[in-house]
Amino acid sequence: MLSDADAVTLRRLVESYPRGGINRIVFDLSDVRHINSTGIGGMLHARRIMRLAGGELMLAGVHKNVEVILERTGLRRFFPIAGPVVCSMPV
């Protein structure tokens, strides 16, 4: 799960991307089996930052449990979901 400290780190990292010319990111969630409100808030914030920069945030490797939570909260429509990640860059 995403802790409050992790959420702050994620927020700062994502906010730095547009300054570096990055406006499209993919969150690899293949190791995430459960998500809480902190994680959802972090994803929504990242999506907003990317959209303000003219880009988008996509999710990949989404476990069924996480997808169900996104569906039930009505947030699924905000996140394009790709298949499994073949190659990624850890942050």
Side-chain angles (χ1 to χ4, degrees), residues 63-86:
H63 190 271
K64 189 65 178 168
N65 290 346
V66 174
E67 191 167 1
V68 166
I69 289 169
L70 293 175
E71 288 285 346
R72 288 184 181 165
T73 57
L75 296 173
R76 170 62 183 86
R77 68 178 186 257
F78 296 113
F79 298 103
I81 296 179
V85 173
V86 176

Side-chain angles (χ1 to χ4, degrees), residues 23-55:
N23 69 352
R24 286 179 165 57
I25 57 175
V26 177
F27 280 0
D28 176 4
L29 301 181
S30 56
D31 291 333
V32 177
R33 299 291 182 254
H34 304 283
I35 193 164
N36 61 13
S37 60
T38 302
I40 290 171
M43 291 188 332
L44 287 169
H45 178 74
R47 177 185 181 271
R48 185 174 68 77
I49 295 299
M50 291 298 105
R51 290 189 49 93
L52 287 172

